[in-house]
Amino acid sequence: MEKQLPTYGEIITVLSIDGGGIRGIIPGTILAFLEAQLQKLDGEEARLADYFDIIAGTSTGGLVTAMITAPNQKNRPLYAAKEIKDFYLEHGPKIFPQDTSPLSAAASLVRSITAPKYDGKYLHKLVREKLGQTRLNQTLSNVVIPTFDIKRLQPKIFSTYEVKIDPSKDAFLSDICIATSAAPTYLPPHYFETQDSNGVVKEFNLIDGGVAANDPALVALSEMTKEIVRRAPEFFPIKPTDFSRFVVISLGTGSAKSEGKFESKHAAKWGILGWLTGENSTPLVDVFTQASSDIAEYHLAAVFQALQSENSYLRIQDDTLTGPLASVDIATKENLENLVKVGEDLLKKPVSMTNLETGNFEPCHNKGTNEEALVRMAQVLSKEKRLRDMKVPRGRTSAN
């Protein structure tokens, strides 16, 4: 089934969710607020998947993407946004079981040398139970979920747009979620196979999409651009480079960048073990995921500022996390509750954007708080949906 078609409206709407392990509870808290605003405007049955042309997610963001776009038995989203927080609170400690023994640090070091920190069995079982036999093409909105193929050493992007061209990419959504969450040193790589219409088998050897695109917003825009090129008449008058028509909400999972997490004088002494072990995280993983996120944010900030369309791009991120809050896997009850508070507090913080001169993520003047910006975004999304519903041809719905 075709997904929403922007030609019946005026803008293209994009939602992007970063990777970050257990910190996915932060964007989950923000999404709950956004969906609640949409429900105030359009009724209690309103769901995020009804409003976005494309929803992208990497790693834990990929899992959230599946939760809010996979269909239930009534062909509505499997999870409401307000249920994401409880999902993490319930299952996080089982996905990332905490070792509280006196020798836990030594045991963790040994595991990091010989095997992934976690076996992933609970996560795999949980995802398969929740998503069942749902395939990529069945999502209620277009989705983009990046992974990385370690056999081919290249990114593998799972996109509902690409499925139309290459049916071999129409994998089970559960396999895609397991793959994009397989962070090196934390969870094992994921192998699965698909078949095309001729029975030709295609294999995938995948790890965390954060290796390539921890912030998948740029990938989402690229996928939409390719779709506009392929189907130009149907998207008229929208052009492939008409980024002024894009409305993008990009949600981070927090970082410790502004704290100065690692120092050269210490890292200069690190060998393999140093880069793979840390007090609350894996330095090497932190470096490449943060780097890919920052590149995407810098590029999008530059594009929207150049177009004088800053109000069409909202990046919500907290780069002041410290200690356990900055970890991707400390899933204690205390830390999870603190992460929920981080998300709630982030709503009250001022709208921020990357300073193109310094590269720093800085508050914007006269744009209010993230909460106020999301209220405005909800109004834009609601207006666009109503416009499409009025313009859609008879016998056709805005979702096909």
Side-chain angles (χ1 to χ4, degrees):
M1 178 182 291
E2 292 281 358
K3 307 301 191 295
Q4 298 182 36
L5 199 59
T7 191
Y8 298 122
E10 296 180 344
I11 58 176
I12 295 173
T13 54
V14 180
L15 173 63
S16 175
I17 310 164
D18 284 15
I22 202 65
R23 299 198 311 264
I25 202 170
I26 296 175
T29 302
I30 295 167
L31 289 173
F33 177 83
L34 176 59
E35 190 168 87
Q37 298 308 306
L38 292 168
Q39 290 170 345
K40 288 180 181 179
L41 296 168
D42 297 330
E44 288 298 316
E45 294 304 312
R47 295 291 184 269
L48 294 169
D50 302 329
Y51 296 86
F52 289 97
D53 293 306
I54 185 168
I55 300 178
T58 297
S59 193
T60 195
L63 182 57
V64 172
T65 295
M67 292 168 66
I68 61 178
T69 63
N72 61 17
Q73 293 180 343
K74 297 181 179 179
N75 208 37
R76 294 296 290 151
L78 191 61
Y79 282 81
K82 65 182 179 181
E83 298 173 314
I84 297 173
K85 178 183 72 173
D86 290 337
F87 177 90
Y88 277 87
L89 291 173
E90 177 183 356
H91 299 291
K94 300 172 185 176
I95 295 171
F96 301 116
Q98 304 297 294
D99 186 350
T100 58
S101 67
L103 300 177
S104 60
S108 178
L109 177 60
V110 171
R111 280 197 303 272
S112 69
I113 298 173
T114 61
K117 191 172 183 180
Y118 306 99
D119 60 25
K121 291 180 179 179
Y122 182 85
L123 174 63
H124 297 187
K125 180 174 180 291
L126 174 67
V127 170
R128 295 197 188 285
E129 286 179 353
K130 297 296 183 182
L131 297 177
Q133 299 296 302
T134 302
R135 290 189 178 272
L136 180 61
N137 79 88
Q138 295 174 286
T139 56
L140 300 175
S141 177
N142 288 298
V143 303
V144 170
I145 301 178
T147 66
F148 191 86
D149 194 311
I150 56 174
K151 185 173 182 178
R152 297 177 180 271
L153 286 183
Q154 63 182 28
K156 184 63 63 177
I157 309 299
F158 287 92
S159 162
T160 50
Y161 297 124
E162 293 297 324
V163 166
K164 305 168 193 173
I165 301 170
D166 183 1
S168 69
K169 291 184 179 180
D170 193 21
F172 288 121
L173 203 53
S174 58
D175 280 322
I176 297 171
C177 286
I178 292 169
T180 194
S181 302
T185 76
Y186 289 97
L187 291 163
H190 186 52
Y191 175 87
F192 63 91
E193 298 176 348
T194 61
Q195 290 187 5
D196 64 18
S197 56
N198 296 318
V200 176
V201 174
K202 186 170 185 176
E203 65 174 24
F204 298 90
N205 299 266
L206 305 176
I207 62 171
D208 191 340
V211 173
N214 200 56
D215 173 354
L218 196 56
V219 178
L221 265 64
S222 297
E223 287 296 305
M224 177 59 81
T225 299
K226 289 193 297 181
E227 183 71 356
I228 296 173
V229 171
R230 285 195 291 256
R231 301 171 62 184
E234 296 177 78
F235 278 81
F236 182 81
I238 298 173
K239 299 178 181 178
T241 57
D242 196 0
F243 290 111
S244 62
R245 287 182 178 267
F246 282 73
V247 172
V248 180
I249 299 176
S250 176
L251 304 181
T253 56
S255 74
K257 183 175 63 174
S258 65
E259 176 197 4
K261 193 168 186 179
F262 309 116
E263 296 183 6
S264 295
K265 63 182 180 182
H266 296 141
K269 303 174 184 178
W270 293 347
I272 293 176
L273 286 181
W275 281 102
L276 295 179
T277 59
E279 182 180 353
N280 292 316
S281 64
T282 300
L284 190 60
V285 175
D286 285 358
V287 168
F288 67 64
T289 55
Q290 190 62 50
S292 68
S293 292
D294 283 356
I295 288 293
E297 156 60 17
Y298 186 86
H299 177 86
L300 290 174
V303 168
F304 281 92
Q305 289 181 45
L307 294 171
Q308 297 183 333
S309 301
E310 294 96 329
N311 290 336
S312 296
Y313 174 59
L314 177 62
R315 172 69 171 170
I316 300 181
Q317 173 71 308
D318 188 330
D319 61 357
T320 64
L321 302 185
T322 60
L325 289 174
S327 168
V328 299
D329 68 327
I330 296 183
T332 62
K333 180 180 179 181
E334 178 185 10
N335 198 48
L336 288 170
E337 291 175 348
N338 287 337
L339 286 169
V340 172
K341 190 172 188 306
V342 168
E344 294 170 345
D345 291 344
L346 190 52
L347 288 168
K348 307 296 183 183
K349 291 186 176 182
V351 171
S352 299
M353 185 171 282
T354 295
N355 183 317
L356 299 181
E357 297 296 326
T358 65
N360 295 329
F361 195 61
E362 300 175 354
C364 301
H365 298 295
N366 304 319
K367 292 189 180 295
T369 64
N370 290 319
E371 187 174 74
E372 292 168 337
L374 286 170
V375 170
R376 294 192 294 268
M377 283 290 192
Q379 293 168 347
V380 171
L381 294 169
S382 176
K383 179 181 177 181
E384 175 69 9
K385 184 176 184 300
R386 293 181 187 185
L387 178 62
R388 295 188 192 186
D389 289 343
M390 287 190 297
K391 286 187 174 183
V392 71
R394 182 172 297 179
R396 183 182 179 124
T397 68
S398 62
N400 58 31

